[in-house]
Every structure is written in structure tokens, then in C-alpha cells.
């Protein structure tokens, strides 16, 4: 058994991690931190959680664990990662602190000097299905954002296939459940504000997941691909549905494009393509670590519908999946 800890265990993502680790066959949750609930017992806040006392982050016993999960705000996560790595623990960071590889770009988008710029090149971007060799044995894994996971997984096989027309923009229209904004109370997320409503937010080049997606796309394509990203707040507790309008070259063969996606994810436990004529929905993925996507061709545009649970495949589930790869365990351990 590997001993692990969670920083920020009582937020929505941290609570999902607690539940996953409680049933994991090869990991034992040794400590959990919470600034709000320090001194309380974890099981009184999260049902079926271990009876361990919540601690403040500064008091976490790093010398007792081999890996920590960071469910902390940006900048705070980076500083904690430094301390954990110095103590000899591996780190899976669910914040944004190690997703971008350029410290200046991080400052531009997050408004802070990066707390540990020397670690940016060491961090592995943990989109699991695309980076297993790099994740295996890694000491620092940057868990992807929920929106980027929903977008990058379905387009990944096509980025290197030479079928995308980079002279036209890719348009991404995404909808997320309210839990994607975290547990901290905010007026615009109150029930009376969200119920019976459906609203866009951070339209244009504003959302912080945009540079993360562009960074990954440019790692694969020779030509830059313009990305137009429009997120929306969906009046449901959890789940993401992204509709992606991907421009194809006129010469792209539709059946070959579909075959490329089928072959890329054949045998994958957590990514699947729905049959032709069907579309991905939240019902396919809620409360699971799955990303499901569908393909619809209309002329030289491929419309992709992609769905996942933002708290699982978009956060805690993918983090556990990455832990399994780091330690060389069965990838579905604790996630089936």
C-alpha cells in the first residue's frame, strides 16, 4: 500500500478524491487538510470517509506519505508542491500551477509571479491517454483542466493525422455544471440565480483554460490553429458537454477520420466513441471517469460532441488514473 495525502480535501474535487481513495485497493489516505474545517473529523463532513482529523496545510505530515494530491488555489498549490517534492513525495497538482510551461504566460493569465518556475519543465501534463510513458514514474504531474480534457481527448488523434484545416478556426462551445466553479459561495452561483437559467461567461479570449488547450494543440500541429472558446454555465450540479466545430481539409475522408478515432481509443478503459449517428450526452458519463464523444460530418466541418463528469474525468478521477500510472498499477484501480 502507498500512503497518500490530500491538500484541500473538503472542496468538491477533494471530496471526490477522498471517496475514490477510500475504495482504492493499493492506496491509503493518511492525511487530509482543510483550512475551513481544521480540527474536525473528515468522516463528519464526507460520508464514508476515513476517521482522520483534518489539519491545516502547514501542519501536514509530508514525511508520512509517498504522494500528495493538491486541490488548492493557484499559487498556493505551487508553493505546496515545492515543499512536498523536497520531502520526497510525488505530486499530482489539480490546480493550474504547472499546466502552462511558460512562467510569463502564467503571470499574464493568472496575475501572479509563478511560485516555482524552475519546476515547469519538470512537470508532466497528465492527459493520461496521451502521455503514459512520461507519467510513469513522474514526480510532478499537472492534472489537466476539465474543459481542456473534454476538448483535447476527442481531437487528439486528429491533430497529427493531417486532416485539420488550420486556416480556419476551431470553435468550442462548452457547458459546465455549477460544481465546476468550486464550493466557495458566490452570489451568481446561488440556486435562485442558476435555476431556470442558462448563461455564457468569460466569452472571448478570457477563460484561463484557453492557453492550456492552445499549448497542447501546438505541441502536435505544425501550423497554429485558432481556437474560439465559449463556456456556459449549465443549471445542473455536475458534468461538461462540449460541442467542437473542427475544420477539415476538403480532401479529408470522413470514414478514415472516424476510423482514426476508433483505432486511437480501441481498448481504452475511459474514452469511447459512440456509434455513428449518435451524440455524447451527460447521461453517458455522470459519476464515472469516462469521456464519451460522437462525430457528425457536415461538409468540411466535423462536429464533435464530447461529455465527461467535471469532478471525475475532469479532475479527481483523472488524478487517480494518473497516480495509477505513476506507480505502475492497473490504470482502472479504484475507478471501476
Amino acid at each position: 500500500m502507498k500512503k497518500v495525502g490530500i491538500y484541500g480535501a473538503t472542496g468538491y474535487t477533494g471530496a471526490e478524491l477522498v471517496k475514490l481513495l477510500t475504495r482504492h485497493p493499493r492506496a491509503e489516505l493518511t492525511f487530509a487538510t482543510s483550512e475551513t474545517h481544521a480540527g474536525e473529523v473528515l468522516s463528519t463532513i464526507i460520508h464514508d470517509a476515513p476517521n482522520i482529523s483534518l489539519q491545516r496545510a502547514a501542519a501536514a505530515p509530508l514525511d508520512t506519505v509517498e504522494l500528495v494530491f493538491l486541490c488548492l488555489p493557484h499559487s498556493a498549490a505551487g508553493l505546496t508542491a515545492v515543499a512536498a517534492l523536497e520531502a520526497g513525495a510525488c505530486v499530482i497538482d489539480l490546480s493550474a500551477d504547472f499546466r502552462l510551461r511558460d512562467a510569463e504566460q502564467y503571470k499574464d493569465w493568472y496575475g501572479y509571479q509563478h511560485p516555482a518556475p524552475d519546476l515547469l519543465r519538470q512537470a508532466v501534463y497528465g492527459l493520461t491517454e496521451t502521455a503514459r510513458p512520461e507519467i510513469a514514474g513522474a514526480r510532478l504531474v499537472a492534472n489537466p483542466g476539465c474543459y481542456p480534457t473534454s476538448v483535447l481527448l476527442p481531437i487528439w488523434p486528429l491533430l497529427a493525422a493531417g486532416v485539420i484545416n488550420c486556416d480556419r478556426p476551431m470553435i468550442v462551445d462548452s457547458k459546465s455544471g455549477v460544481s465546476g466553479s468550486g464550493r466557495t459561495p458566490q452570489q451568481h452561483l446561488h440556486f435562485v440565480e442558476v435555476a431556470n437559467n442558462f448563461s455564457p461567461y468569460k466569452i472571448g479570449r478570457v477563460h484561463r483554460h484557453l492557453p492550456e488547450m492552445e499549448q497542447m494543440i501546438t505541441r502536435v500541429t505544425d501550423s497554429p490553429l485558432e481556437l474560439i472558446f465559449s463556456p456556459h454555465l449549465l443549471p445542473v450540479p455536475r458534468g461538461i458537454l462540449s460541442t467542437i466545430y473542427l475544420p477539415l481539409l476538403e480532401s479529408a475522408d470522413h470514414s478514415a477520420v472516424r476510423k482514426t478515432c476508433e483505432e486511437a481509443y480501441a481498448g481504452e478503459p475511459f474514452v469511447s466513441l459512440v456509434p455513428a449517428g449518435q451524440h455524447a450526452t451527460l447521461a453517458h458519463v455522470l459519476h464515472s471517469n469516462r469521456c464519451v464523444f460522437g462525430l457528425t460530418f457536415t461538409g468540411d466541418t466535423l462536429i464533435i460532441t464530447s461529455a465527461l463528469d467535471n469532478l471525475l474525468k475532469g479532475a479527481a478521477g483523472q488524478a487517480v488514473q494518473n497516480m495509477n500510472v505513476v506507480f505502475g498499477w492497473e490504470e482502472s484501480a479504484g475507478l471501476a
Side-chain angles (χ1 to χ4, degrees):
M1 296 284 284
K2 297 283 189 182
K3 296 183 184 298
V4 303
I6 301 174
Y7 285 83
T10 57
Y12 289 134
T13 297
E16 291 291 338
L17 265 174
V18 168
K19 295 172 187 176
L20 293 174
L21 293 172
T22 298
R23 67 173 188 246
H24 198 286
R26 305 190 67 172
E28 178 186 353
L29 181 60
T30 300
F31 76 75
T33 78
S34 171
E35 302 306 302
T36 304
H37 298 282
E40 299 180 47
V41 177
L42 182 60
S43 59
T44 64
I45 298 169
I46 302 172
H47 182 62
D48 290 336
N51 293 319
I52 59 177
S53 294
L54 288 160
Q55 305 174 46
R56 294 194 182 279
L62 281 168
D63 58 342
T64 67
V65 297
E66 292 158 277
L67 182 143
V68 294
F69 296 94
L70 308 183
C71 304
L72 297 172
H74 52 268
S75 76
L79 292 171
T80 306
V82 172
L85 291 168
E86 289 178 348
C90 297
V91 174
I92 296 180
D93 179 23
L94 288 86
S95 84
D97 277 0
F98 297 99
R99 293 173 186 165
L100 301 180
R101 305 197 71 172
D102 184 281
E104 286 303 312
Q105 188 181 38
Y106 175 89
K107 181 183 176 181
D108 290 342
W109 283 91
Y110 289 91
Y112 293 88
Q113 292 286 350
H114 196 280
D118 293 344
L119 292 177
L120 290 175
R121 293 289 168 179
Q122 177 183 332
V124 177
Y125 187 76
L127 190 67
T128 320
E129 287 77 11
T130 72
R132 288 186 178 101
E134 294 80 14
I135 296 169
R139 296 200 62 219
L140 175 58
V141 177
N143 219 56
C146 49
Y147 281 131
T149 299
S150 75
V151 173
L152 293 170
L153 282 174
I155 72 169
W156 194 258
L158 304 176
L159 288 174
V163 297
I164 298 175
N165 183 355
C166 293
D167 293 331
R168 292 167 50 204
M170 178 175 74
I171 299 172
V172 178
D173 184 295
S174 294
K175 302 93 176 168
S176 174
V178 182
S179 60
S181 295
R183 198 168 191 172
T184 302
Q186 301 177 65
Q187 181 176 334
H188 73 282
L189 300 177
H190 290 176
F191 177 80
V192 292
E193 305 289 342
V194 174
N196 300 317
N197 193 14
F198 180 45
S199 55
Y201 70 102
K202 295 186 178 179
I203 294 292
R205 296 193 60 81
V206 180
H207 198 284
R208 289 167 171 170
H209 283 176
L210 185 65
E212 181 183 340
M213 289 186 276
E214 291 180 332
Q215 173 182 266
M216 288 300 290
I217 290 170
T218 56
R219 287 189 192 181
V220 182
T221 57
D222 293 330
S223 302
L225 177 63
E226 181 185 357
L227 173 58
I228 298 172
F229 178 51
S230 300
H232 299 73
L233 183 65
L234 193 63
V236 298
R238 59 199 295 163
I240 283 178
L241 180 65
S242 290
T243 303
I244 305 160
Y245 301 86
L246 187 67
L248 299 176
L249 295 173
E250 292 184 5
S251 59
D253 180 84
H254 294 179
S255 60
V257 168
R258 183 174 182 86
K259 185 177 181 181
T260 296
C261 293
E262 289 173 339
E263 292 179 347
Y265 291 116
E268 285 287 351
F270 299 120
V271 183
S272 58
L273 175 63
V274 298
Q278 296 186 21
H279 311 295
T281 70
L282 294 186
H284 283 105
V285 296
L286 289 182
H287 301 283
S288 80
N289 192 53
R290 302 176 66 215
C291 176
V292 172
F293 67 101
L295 307 179
T296 300
F297 297 91
T298 174
D300 56 2
T301 298
L302 171 59
I303 303 175
I304 303 173
T305 51
S306 174
L308 53 75
D309 188 312
N310 59 295
L311 296 178
L312 289 170
K313 186 58 173 169
Q318 186 159 223
V320 169
Q321 189 179 352
N322 282 328
M323 176 186 69
N324 292 339
V325 177
V326 166
F327 289 138
W329 298 335
E330 182 180 353
E331 201 165 307
S332 59
L335 295 168

